[in-house]
Amino acid sequence: MNSLVLLIVTAVAFVFGYRFYSKLLALGVFRLGKDYSTPAPQRPPAGGHGASNRHLIFGHHLASLAAAAAVTGSLISLIWGWIPAFLWLVVGTVTAAGTYGLGSLWLSLRFPGLNPAEIAARLLGSPAHGLFTLLAFLLVLIMNAACAGFAAHLLSAFPSAVLPFGIVTVLALFLGGFLRGRDDFEIIPASLIALTLSLMAVWLLGEFPLSFTGALNFEMAESRVVFDATTVWVILLFVYGYHATRLPMWKLIRPRGYLTALLLGVTLFILYTAVIIDHPKLVAPEFHGGPGIPDTLPWLFITLTSGAVSGFHLLIANGVTARQINGETDARYIGYGGALALGLVALSAVIIGGTGFAGTPEWIQHYASWEQLKDLRTVFELYINGFAQLAAGLGLDRAFARTLATVVVLGLLAATLEAGLRIQKHLLTGLTERYPSFIPGKEKNLIGIAAGLSAALALYSGHGRGALLWWPLFGVADQILAVLGFALLGLTLWRMGRPVTVVFLPLIFMLVAANWALAVLMMQWWAADDWLLFALGVILIVTELAVTLLSLIFMKSSSRPQT
C-alpha cells in the first residue's frame, strides 16, 4: 500500500469532519454562542492566564495535549497491522476525539473557574469531588513522571538536541514578553522571527552536543542509588517545571508551547512533503498477530488514545486552555481543530512505523512481540530516526533532521509536563478549599507537592523509568477518565435539554473497551501478586461504579427540559 493513500484519505476525512461534523456539534449540540462571556477577558494577565490570540492558544493547546503519547501509541498500535491502527485513528479522531475536545472546552467555559472534580461535585454532589480528584491526580502523576523520564532519556541519547532545546526555551521567554499587550497582527512577524531563530539554533548548535558522563553511586546498607545522566536530567526538568509553573502563563509556558507547535508544523510539513514526493510503500502487514501479541480488541483502543480519544484532554482543556479563550465560539477551532492536528501527529507515526524498515521481514522482527515494545524510549527513537530517513530523501541533512525531530519531541514532552503540574496545582487548590487544615494552601507549596510526587515516581526504580511500572494502568485510567468526562458532558447537555446521542454513543463504546481491558489486567495483576497495581485497579472500579450510581440518581431526579 502506498502511504500517500493514507494521507489523502485522512485529509478528506479530517476536512469533512471539521467542515460538517464539527459545525453540527457547534450549532446543534453545544450551541456555541458569540455573546456568551468567558472569564479570560476579565482575568488580569498578572493572574497567570488572561485572554490571548486564538492561534497562540491553539498552538499551546496542541503542544500540551500529550502529543508525544500520540507518537508512542500510534507506533505501538501497528503491532496489530496498519489497517486497525489507521482506521481507529481516522474514525476515532473525527468522531470521538473531536467531540470530546470541543465538548471539554465548552463544559469548562460553562463552569468557569471550576476544575473537573468541582464540576462533578456541582452536578453529582460532594462525593464525586474526591473520586474525580483521585483519578485525575493519579493519571497526571503518571503522565508527569513519564514525560520527564522520556525527555531525560532523549536528552542523554541525543546530546546534539540539548543546546537547541535550551535556546528554544529562551526564545519563548522573549517571545512571551514581546507579545504581551500587543495587537494580533504583530503575532505573525514575531512568530516568523522566533521560528527562524529556532531553526537556526537547531542547524548551528546541533553541531555542539552537550552531555553528562559518568555516574555517582550511593550505597547504604542493601540499597543503592545511582545518579547518572538520566537521573540528573529528570531532576533538572522538574526544577524547571516547578519554576515555569509559578510564572504567569503568558511569560513562558504559553509562548514555549506555541513555538513548539510551530516547530511541529515544520516537522509535519517536511514529513508529508516526503510522502507526497517519494510516496514510500508500507512494509507493515495489513493485519498482524501471533504468540506474545495481545488481541486487537480491546487493546487497540487502550493503546492508541492520544490521536484518537484521551481522557487527559479534558484536564488540558479545563486547567490550561479554557482559562485563556476570548469567546465560546473559539472552542470549535481550538477543541475540534486541536483533535484533528493531534490526529495528523498520530498519522505521521503510523507512516514512519509502517514504512521505516527495509522490508516486511525486518518489520515483523521488530514487532515480533509485545515485550519488545514495552520500552517506550526506543519507540521515540524509532520515530526520530524514521523522520530523519524520510527527510533525507528530500535532500535534508540527516543529522539536522534528527536533531529537529528530537527538539520537537522534547518540546512536546516539556509542554505536557508543564500542563500536568499546572493541572495538579488546580486539583490541589480545590482540595485546600475543602480541607484547609490538611493541605497547605500557598501556591508554591502546592506546586512543590505536585513536582515532588511526580519526580519521586519518575526516579522510583532508577534511571527515570519509575512511570513505566505504572504505565499498564495509565491507558485504562485514561480511558476511564474519558468515560467520566463524556458522562459530565452528557449530564450537562441532559440538564439543558440538548441532544445527547453524540456524547453517549462514544461513552458506551469507551466504557466497554476500558472495563474489558481493566478486567484482563486485574486478572494478570492478581496472578502475578502485583498488589499495588491491583489495588489501584480496584480504585478505578469503585470510582466508576460510584460515578455511575450518582449519574443515574441525577438523571432520575432531574427533569429534562423540553426543546
Side-chain angles (χ1 to χ4, degrees):
M1 170 64 72
N2 191 326
S3 59
L4 181 60
V5 176
L6 272 61
L7 177 58
I8 294 174
V9 172
T10 302
V12 171
F14 282 12
V15 169
F16 179 86
Y18 188 82
R19 178 65 180 84
F20 298 104
Y21 190 64
S22 72
K23 189 174 184 178
L24 170 67
L25 295 173
L27 299 180
V29 179
F30 299 109
R31 301 177 189 175
L32 306 181
K34 294 182 179 180
D35 298 327
Y36 183 80
S37 61
T38 62
Q42 289 76 39
R43 182 183 289 112
H49 297 85
S52 183
N53 177 275
R54 70 176 193 155
H55 304 302
L56 195 64
I57 299 173
F58 177 89
H60 182 210
H61 179 73
L62 173 61
S64 303
L65 281 178
V71 170
T72 57
S74 300
L75 284 171
I76 294 173
S77 66
L78 283 172
I79 197 171
W80 296 291
W82 68 262
I83 287 182
F86 177 70
L87 288 179
W88 174 234
L89 186 159
V90 174
V91 176
T93 296
V94 172
T95 56
T99 303
Y100 194 70
L102 195 164
S104 295
L105 283 177
W106 172 81
L107 182 70
S108 301
L109 293 172
R110 290 288 165 166
F111 293 90
L114 300 183
N115 64 47
E118 293 167 333
I119 296 174
R122 182 74 63 88
L123 292 173
L124 305 175
S126 296
H129 183 276
L131 296 171
F132 264 82
T133 299
L134 179 61
L135 176 59
F137 195 89
L138 175 64
L139 184 71
V140 178
L141 182 71
I142 301 174
M143 177 64 82
N144 286 348
C147 286
F150 297 148
H153 170 75
L154 292 178
L155 287 167
S156 300
F158 298 93
S160 62
V162 174
L163 288 178
F165 176 63
I167 292 299
V168 169
T169 303
V170 174
L171 288 172
L173 194 62
F174 283 105
L175 181 64
F178 176 81
L179 291 179
R180 187 187 183 194
R182 302 275 181 169
D183 294 328
D184 287 350
F185 72 87
E186 297 180 90
I187 289 182
I188 295 179
S191 300
L192 291 176
I193 293 173
L195 178 60
T196 301
L197 292 176
S198 298
L199 292 173
M200 289 179 62
V202 173
W203 177 40
L204 297 175
L205 297 181
E207 301 292 332
F208 302 95
L210 176 63
S211 61
F212 298 109
T213 58
L216 188 61
N217 300 313
F218 290 94
E219 295 186 10
M220 297 173 290
E222 297 180 356
S223 62
R224 184 182 182 186
V225 179
V226 179
F227 278 85
D228 58 2
T230 303
T231 303
V232 172
W233 279 122
V234 167
I235 295 173
L236 291 177
L237 285 166
F238 277 110
V239 170
Y240 160 79
Y242 170 81
H243 289 286
T245 306
R246 293 192 62 190
L247 291 174
M249 187 174 291
W250 60 265
K251 184 170 287 188
L252 177 59
I253 292 181
R254 181 196 294 161
R256 206 200 59 75
Y258 172 69
L259 191 52
T260 297
L262 292 180
L263 289 170
L264 173 64
V266 172
T267 302
L268 293 179
F269 176 79
I270 293 172
L271 187 146
Y272 288 129
T273 300
V275 170
I276 293 172
I277 294 177
D278 297 333
H279 42 82
K281 182 180 178 181
L282 290 168
V283 297
E286 290 84 357
F287 299 95
H288 183 242
I293 298 177
D295 294 333
T296 305
L297 301 177
W299 298 109
L300 172 66
F301 309 113
I302 305 302
T303 303
L304 183 49
T305 54
S306 292
V309 58
S310 171
F312 185 71
H313 296 179
L314 169 63
L315 304 179
I316 295 294
N318 177 273
V320 178
T321 309
R323 299 166 188 263
Q324 310 175 62
I325 288 182
N326 277 301
E328 190 181 53
T329 51
D330 286 342
R332 178 190 177 196
Y333 168 66
I334 298 171
Y336 196 94
L340 296 183
L342 194 63
L344 290 177
V345 176
L347 177 65
S348 72
V350 168
I351 290 177
I352 287 175
T355 64
F357 297 86
T360 301
E362 289 78 9
W363 185 95
I364 292 177
Q365 182 180 0
H366 183 84
Y367 282 89
S369 70
W370 186 258
E371 293 295 325
Q372 293 182 212
L373 300 175
K374 280 190 175 181
D375 190 349
L376 300 182
R377 300 172 305 166
T378 61
V379 177
F380 280 118
E381 293 179 13
L382 172 62
Y383 182 82
I384 291 169
N385 292 323
F387 169 77
Q389 178 180 330
L390 288 173
L394 297 178
L396 293 179
D397 180 70
R398 189 182 294 265
F400 167 79
R402 186 181 294 109
T403 302
L404 174 61
T406 306
V407 170
V408 169
V409 173
L410 284 170
L412 296 175
L413 290 168
T416 304
L417 175 61
E418 294 163 350
L421 291 174
R422 188 167 288 270
I423 290 166
Q424 287 181 312
K425 183 193 73 172
H426 292 315
L427 292 172
L428 291 175
T429 299
L431 288 178
T432 61
E433 294 173 355
R434 289 176 175 264
Y435 312 102
S437 61
F438 181 67
I439 298 177
K442 291 184 178 180
E443 180 182 85
K444 65 178 183 179
N445 293 334
L446 300 180
I447 300 173
I449 291 173
L453 291 175
S454 300
L457 177 58
L459 297 173
Y460 175 72
S461 64
H463 307 291
R465 303 178 187 177
L468 295 180
L469 299 176
W470 288 9
W471 196 252
L473 182 74
F474 176 82
V476 175
D478 187 47
Q479 294 305 284
I480 290 177
L481 182 60
V483 169
L484 301 184
F486 273 125
L488 293 181
L489 280 174
L491 294 176
T492 304
L493 291 170
W494 172 277
R495 188 177 67 173
M496 299 175 72
R498 298 185 183 177
V500 296
T501 304
V502 296
V503 171
F504 280 143
L505 284 180
L507 183 154
I508 295 171
F509 177 80
M510 299 310 303
L511 182 68
V512 173
N515 284 280
W516 183 357
L518 181 57
V520 174
L521 286 175
M522 293 283 285
M523 289 186 289
Q524 292 177 358
W525 295 332
W526 178 277
D529 294 335
D530 197 336
W531 303 117
L532 176 58
L533 287 177
F534 186 83
L536 293 174
V538 171
I539 291 175
L540 293 181
I541 294 174
V542 171
T543 300
E544 268 195 295
L545 293 175
V547 172
T548 300
L549 178 61
L550 292 172
S551 300
L552 293 174
I553 294 174
F554 172 88
M555 296 181 69
K556 185 177 180 179
S557 60
S558 300
S559 57
R560 178 170 167 82
Q562 299 296 321
T563 57

